Amino acid sequence: MHKLNDFISKEALDQALAEKVSQILQAAITLKGRASIAVSGGSTPKGFFAVLSNKDIDWKKVTITLADERWVDINDDASNTRLVHENLLQNKAASAKFFHLKQGENLCEETLADLNLAANSSLLPLDVLILGMGEDGHTASLFPCSEQIKQGLDINNEKALMKVEPKTAPHHRITFSFAALKQSKNTFLHVCGANKKQVLDKALSANDVFEMPIRAFLQDTDIDTQIFWAE
Ligand code: 6PG
């Protein structure tokens, strides 16, 4: 299920989302001594990252990771890891830990196995998941065009992390699976602009998850997806 929260501006959205997320993270730290959050890449979250990075929480007990990553070097303009380091791991949040999805040179089975072990022991289930959405209805790197989408959306998929080779986007990627992401304690979908609202309305108007993978998060009754949208 889902709830739409719309805001008068992107700035108002960024402030509200950062405040909500920081409260959740601090509550998790108070409860269990640590917190984990997966954020998404792309152009939408930069303002949110900047506001969140200045929130006064116990950042050294927070582990930040990505919902997905392009398999490129951190110095590459396409790197989500670079985006997060330059925009979120700054200011007060500079003391947070970062769980790298892009490790080593080759995204091979052995690398995936090591990453899955590490993610399951130190990261999952996430306290906070921030999803974005592409105009094709993909989220994380769960792309409708990819041959891996069936496995990616399979709720019985035991692999938290998997390799994806989208046909309509550059780079092969590593992504958390739907099965892993749906365990998150708090799920937010962060979308901005009129185009994305049209995509969201289309996603909400039907239920074929393989056509628009974001639907898996919007219609699953175990997930309370909080949609944060501004024009
Ligand atoms: C990525 C993201 C992806 C992103 C959407 C929206 O690696 O590209 O994880 O899922 O959130 O494509 O991107 P924009 O914010 O740029 O529209």
Side-chain angles (χ1 to χ4, degrees):
M1 60 191 181
H2 61 272
K3 179 178 182 291
L4 177 62
N5 306 273
D6 59 0
F7 295 86
I8 57 169
S9 68
K10 289 179 185 176
E11 294 70 25
L13 183 160
D14 291 341
Q15 292 289 339
L17 185 55
E19 179 57 27
K20 182 68 179 170
V21 165
S22 63
Q23 288 175 359
I24 293 168
L25 291 174
Q26 189 56 55
I29 292 165
T30 303
L31 180 68
K32 57 183 180 166
R34 65 178 185 163
S36 60
I37 175 173
V39 297
S40 287
S43 57
T44 302
K46 277 187 178 178
F48 159 63
F49 288 163
V51 178
L52 182 61
S53 73
N54 280 301
K55 289 295 181 184
D56 196 4
I57 66 171
D58 198 353
W59 282 106
K60 64 183 180 302
K61 294 180 180 172
V62 177
T63 301
I64 299 170
T65 192
L66 284 154
D68 67 315
E69 177 59 299
R70 298 84 179 269
W71 200 260
V72 296
D73 187 83
I74 193 170
N75 297 314
D76 192 305
D77 287 344
S79 168
N80 286 334
T81 299
R82 174 176 174 179
L83 175 80
V84 171
H85 278 73
E86 291 179 347
N87 295 278
L88 179 52
L89 285 161
Q90 300 286 329
N91 308 316
K92 292 188 173 72
S95 59
K97 294 187 272 295
F98 186 77
F99 181 95
H100 287 262
L101 292 190
K102 180 9 174 121
Q103 296 191 25
E105 286 309 309
N106 301 314
L107 182 44
C108 59
E109 284 307 312
E110 189 180 355
T111 298
L112 272 172
D114 292 344
L115 284 165
N116 270 295
L117 276 175
N120 281 301
S121 61
S122 65
L123 208 57
L124 301 175
L126 295 163
D127 293 295
V128 178
L129 170 63
I130 310 289
L131 292 171
M133 179 183 68
E135 304 214 352
D136 58 355
H138 84 261
T139 191
S141 279
L142 300 169
F143 282 88
C145 63
S146 71
E147 291 174 11
Q148 298 81 24
I149 190 59
K150 192 168 184 301
Q151 180 194 1
L153 293 177
D154 180 357
I155 57 169
N156 298 310
N157 180 2
E158 291 175 358
K159 288 214 173 148
L161 286 163
M162 54 186 285
K163 178 178 180 179
V164 171
E165 295 177 285
K167 296 185 173 69
T168 57
H171 315 296
H172 62 253
R173 281 99 180 296
I174 182 169
T175 189
F176 278 103
S177 62
F178 173 64
L181 293 177
K182 78 168 281 184
Q183 303 304 323
S184 305
K185 303 276 195 325
N186 298 271
T187 298
F188 299 88
L189 172 58
H190 180 190
V191 284
C192 291
N195 284 354
K196 289 290 179 73
K197 185 65 168 60
Q198 285 179 354
V199 177
L200 180 62
D201 290 343
K202 179 183 175 189
L204 293 170
S205 68
N207 55 20
D208 181 353
V209 296
F210 296 103
E211 181 193 20
M212 298 183 83
I214 190 63
R215 286 173 173 157
F217 292 89
L218 296 172
Q219 61 195 15
D220 190 309
T221 53
D222 294 334
I223 310 173
D224 180 17
T225 300
Q226 293 296 316
I227 305 167
F228 275 49
W229 176 79
E231 182 74 42

